[in-house]
Amino acid sequence: MTVTIVGSQLGDEGKGALVDIWGGDADVVVRYQGGDNAGHTVVHDGTEYKLSLVPSGAIRGKTGVLGNGCVVNPRTLFSEIDDLRERGVDPDVRLARRAHVILPFHRVLDGIEEEVKSDSDLDAGTTGRGIGPTYEDKAGRRGVRVGDLLDPDVLRERLEYVVPQKRTLATEVYGLDLVDEHAEYAEAFDVEALFEEYSEIGRRLEREEMTVNAGEFLAEKRENGENLLFEGAQGTSIDIDHGIYPYVTSSNPTAGGACVGSGVGPSVIGRGEVVGVVKAYLSRVGTGPLPTELDGDEREEALADEIRERGGEFGTVTGRPRRIGWLDVPMLRHAARVNGFTGIGVNHVDVLAGLDEVKVGHAYELDGETTETMPTTTEEWARCEPVYREFEPWPEVDWNAVAEEGYDALPEAAREYLSYLSTEVGVPVYAVGIGPNREQTVVRENPFDLD
Ligand code: IMP
C-alpha cells in the first residue's frame, strides 16, 4: 500500500502533521523531490526537532528514504543527523545513489542569480539553498550524483569538468571577485578543496551504509508487505511544470513526481491514495502574484497580520514572514486534477476562528470572462480578479475537545466551509487540522485503511 501526500497550494500547508499521523502506519517514508529548502518541525516525546532533509518519520523509528528526485546537501544532512544523535535519536536515513548533490558553488550561484534577476522582478525569492542551480546541472548532464561520491576517480572527473565552468560563470559573467571581496567563496569553486571534502563524505556514506538503489530498495520493501508513505515537499503551485513559473521551485512536488523521483512505477502509486493537503487560507514565502492576497488596504493588512501571527506564518527554513491571502479555490481545482487526489486534509481551520469575516476566492474574472481554474501563464494569473464567496465565520471553541469528539463537534460554519471545499475538489475530507500539535487533528479516515 502506498499513500502520497502532496501540498495543494504554495507549500507550507502543514503536510508534516499529517505525514506524522498517517506515517504511524507506514514502514518507510520517502521524499521524492526538493532538498533542504523544505522545513518541517516535529515534536516527539515533548522534544521539538527542526528538520529539512531527514524525513520526519525517521525520528519515530521509520526508515526515511531520500529518493533519486531529491537534491541533497550532504553538509545539511550530516549536520541534522549528528544533531539528532547528540540528542539520542539515531535516524535510519537512506540516500538514493541517483540523487544529485548540492555543492557549495550551487548555493553561491543561487544567491547571485536571484540578485541579478531582482532587477527585472524575476527573482523567485528562493530559499538560497542552491536547489535551482543543482537541478540545472542535473538537466545539463553535468551534475554530481550521490553515487559519484563513492568513487574518487569519478568524483574527480566530474568536478574537473564542472567546477571551472562554474568559476568562469561566477567571475566572468557575474563579476564575482573570489580573490578579495568574496574570498570566502573561493573554496566553493576549488576542485581540490571540493574533492577533499566530498570524497570524505563519500567514505562516510559508505561506512554508514546509507546509499541505496531507491527503486530496488522500495520494491523489496513492498514485496515484504511494507507500507510506503511518499512525502511531497513544497506544493503544486510552485511545481516547475504545473506552478506559477518562474516563481516556482525547480522540481515536481506533484504526485507524478513521486514515481519519477523514487523509482516506484505510476501504476503502483496510482493504486494507492493521493492526499492533498490544503491550508484554510493562503500563505506564500516567495515572490510573484497572489490574486487573493490580503494587502489591499490597512484593514486587509491588519487581517493578514492577525492570521500570520495566529498561524505562525514565518518560514521554517528562512524565518521570513509569509504573505497571506484568502483561500484560492481555482488553485485547488487545478491541484486536484493535476495530482488526482483521492482525499484532502484541511489544516489551520482554527486560525480563521473568531475573525469578523471569512472569504474564499471561488473563481476568477479574467479579461471579462469568469473562470474556475488557474490560467496557464503567470501573467494571466496576475490579472485575475477573484470572485469571492463569503462564509459565516466560526467562533473560537475548545479545539482540544473538538479533537477528542471528532468531526461533528466542529462549529457548524466550519463544517459548511469544509463541505464546500470537498464538493469543489470532488473528494472527501480525510482530516482537519485545528491546532499546531499533532493531537489537534480531527482524523476522519486513515488512507492506509482504504486499500
Ligand atoms: P527554491 O526551492 O529555494 O529554489 O525556491 C523557489 C521558490 O519556492 C521560492 O518562491 C521559495 O520561497 C519557494 N519554496 C521553496 N521551498 C519551499 C517550502 O518548503 N515552502 C514554501 N515555499 C518554498
Side-chain angles (χ1 to χ4, degrees):
M1 173 73 185
T2 73
V3 172
T4 304
I5 296 191
V6 178
S8 305
Q9 295 149 318
L10 296 146
D12 307 318
E13 298 89 354
K15 296 176 284 294
L18 295 176
V19 166
D20 222 18
I21 289 171
W22 293 324
D25 283 314
D27 302 288
V28 184
V29 180
V30 188
R31 280 269 313 264
Y32 54 85
Q33 43 74 230
D36 55 347
N37 48 349
H40 41 276
T41 307
V42 191
V43 181
H44 182 53
D45 285 346
T47 310
E48 188 176 279
Y49 303 94
K50 283 198 184 299
L51 304 168
S52 59
L53 269 180
V54 172
S56 49
I59 306 292
R60 303 188 195 284
K62 314 283 174 187
T63 300
V65 174
L66 298 174
N68 54 277
C70 294
V71 285
V72 180
N73 186 329
R75 287 180 175 174
T76 313
L77 179 64
F78 283 130
S79 119
E80 284 182 9
I81 290 177
D82 290 344
D83 185 45
L84 287 170
R85 285 187 183 153
E86 262 172 42
R87 297 163 80 180
V89 181
D90 194 8
D92 178 10
V93 181
R94 310 301 175 97
L95 209 49
R97 284 194 282 273
R98 287 188 167 97
H100 279 249
V101 180
I102 301 180
L103 293 163
F105 57 78
H106 290 124
R107 274 201 182 202
V108 179
L109 290 168
D110 193 351
I112 300 177
E113 201 175 354
E114 278 280 285
E115 209 178 301
V116 173
K117 278 180 166 176
S118 68
D119 292 341
S120 34
D121 284 339
L122 284 173
D123 53 319
T126 73
T127 59
R129 301 298 191 263
I131 307 292
T134 308
Y135 279 115
E136 267 180 57
D137 282 348
K138 171 180 176 174
R141 294 163 302 202
R142 65 179 95 82
V144 173
R145 304 203 293 178
V146 168
D148 301 337
L149 303 182
L150 309 179
D151 183 331
D153 293 339
V154 174
L155 175 61
R156 181 173 282 284
E157 198 175 48
R158 297 277 190 271
L159 292 174
E160 280 178 354
Y161 178 76
V162 74
V163 176
Q165 284 189 15
K166 299 295 161 177
R167 195 173 42 235
T168 306
L169 179 66
T171 55
E172 305 300 319
V173 177
Y174 292 124
L176 189 73
D177 174 4
L178 292 173
V179 179
D180 290 316
E181 200 185 345
H182 289 295
E184 75 274 20
Y185 295 145
E187 287 207 339
F189 295 89
D190 181 289
V191 173
E192 284 313 317
L194 291 169
F195 179 77
E196 202 174 308
E197 178 179 354
Y198 286 82
S199 53
E200 177 50 35
I201 285 171
R203 285 191 286 277
R204 178 165 177 189
L205 287 171
E206 208 138 41
R207 261 195 323 277
E208 303 205 10
E209 296 179 356
M210 282 175 68
T211 70
V212 290
N213 175 344
E216 190 183 37
F217 182 79
L218 295 172
E220 277 170 18
K221 296 284 181 195
R222 281 203 333 108
E223 275 160 28
N224 293 337
E226 296 190 20
N227 282 335
L228 310 184
L229 183 88
F230 291 88
E231 177 182 3
Q234 291 88 39
T236 302
S237 280
I238 55 171
D239 179 290
I240 187 141
D241 286 283
H242 301 287
I244 48 170
Y245 194 91
Y247 307 103
V248 292
T249 193
S250 301
S251 66
N252 291 118
T254 43
C259 317
V260 181
S262 72
V264 176
S267 54
V268 175
I269 308 264
R271 272 199 303 276
E273 285 280 317
V274 178
V275 186
V277 184
V278 176
K279 186 183 272 184
Y281 51 89
L282 282 191
S283 71
R284 170 74 163 129
V285 283
T287 49
L290 198 60
T292 60
E293 184 162 16
L294 279 161
D295 67 345
D297 53 31
E298 272 180 24
R299 210 185 108 265
E300 286 197 351
E301 278 170 20
L303 193 53
D305 285 344
E306 191 179 343
I307 295 175
R308 184 180 301 112
E309 286 301 325
R310 293 173 62 168
E313 297 295 351
F314 299 89
T316 318
V317 171
T318 58
R320 290 181 285 183
R322 296 176 182 147
R323 298 158 66 193
I324 304 292
W326 291 123
L327 190 76
D328 185 318
V329 181
M331 183 188 278
L332 295 184
R333 294 189 194 99
H334 170 70
R337 186 179 59 248
V338 169
N339 293 291
F341 290 155
T342 53
I344 54 171
V346 185
N347 275 328
H348 284 35
V349 168
D350 58 306
V351 172
L352 299 185
L355 297 183
D356 293 337
E357 56 175 332
V358 172
K359 284 193 201 172
V360 301
H362 173 81
Y364 304 131
E365 286 287 341
L366 175 62
D367 303 334
E369 307 264 323
T370 303
T371 169
E372 291 208 340
T373 191
M374 284 176 92
T376 46
T377 76
T378 305
E379 291 67 31
E380 284 173 311
W381 194 52
R383 291 207 309 278
C384 284
E385 282 298 328
V387 179
Y388 285 110
R389 201 172 268 203
E390 287 213 34
F391 283 79
E392 175 95 10
W394 48 92
E396 257 316 336
V397 292
D398 178 351
W399 298 106
N400 290 327
V402 173
E404 262 176 42
E405 285 169 46
Y407 193 80
D408 290 339
L410 283 166
E412 192 185 339
R415 274 184 283 130
E416 256 172 47
Y417 182 85
L418 293 166
S419 133
Y420 159 81
L421 286 188
S422 169
T423 306
E424 295 304 317
V425 297
V427 293
V429 176
Y430 286 172
V432 186
I434 49 173
N437 299 327
R438 184 174 182 235
E439 299 73 35
Q440 291 166 316
T441 307
V442 174
V443 181
R444 298 175 88 194
E445 291 289 359
N446 178 346
F448 279 111
D449 292 340
L450 297 172
D451 209 351

